[in-house]
């Protein structure tokens, strides 16, 4: 993707690649430390772009998924990059 690795937009884009992912799975995709990715995901959740839930089998984990707002934001970004 043309989004710079490690930016909030790239983290959101990576989160959208699968329906639900952990911080570590997203961090691997964007080649960015888990601690930073976790903070950005928390910020994105506060803004309504992603949501998280704890799986019943492992309450230590969080699974992140992109919300409708997040999907719409990514669509806008894609169009902007396509026109650039």
């Amino acid at each position: 993707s043309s989004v710079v690795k490690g930016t909030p937009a790239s983290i959101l884009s990576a989160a959208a690649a699968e329906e639900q992912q952990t911080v570590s799975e997203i961090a691997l995709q964007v080649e960015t430390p888990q601690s930073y990715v976790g903070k950005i995901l928390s910020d994105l959740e506060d803004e309504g772009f992603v949501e998280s839930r704890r799986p019943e089998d492992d309450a230590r984990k969080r699974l992140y998924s992109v919300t409708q707002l997040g999907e719409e934001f990514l669509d806008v970004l894609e169009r902007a990059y396509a026109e650039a």
Side-chain angles (χ1 to χ4, degrees):
S1 108
S2 53
V3 181
V4 179
K5 280 189 186 339
T7 63
S10 72
I11 291 169
L12 182 62
S13 181
E18 298 284 334
E19 196 169 312
Q20 296 186 326
Q21 296 185 81
T22 63
V23 171
S24 58
E25 291 167 336
I26 296 167
L28 275 173
Q29 289 181 61
V30 295
E31 300 171 6
T32 303
Q34 281 187 42
S35 58
Y36 179 74
V37 171
K39 172 166 183 354
I40 296 302
L41 285 169
S42 179
D43 292 347
L44 289 170
E45 189 169 20
D46 289 345
E47 298 294 327
F49 291 110
V50 298
E51 57 191 12
S52 67
R53 69 174 188 82
R54 293 193 185 278
E56 291 174 15
D57 63 337
D58 188 350
R60 296 167 301 169
K61 271 191 205 171
R62 276 196 175 284
L63 293 173
Y64 287 87
S65 53
V66 177
T67 63
Q68 182 67 36
L69 179 65
E71 294 284 355
E72 291 168 6
F73 179 73
L74 287 171
D75 288 345
V76 168
L77 275 184
E78 275 184 34
R79 283 197 300 275
Y81 275 109
E83 293 169 7

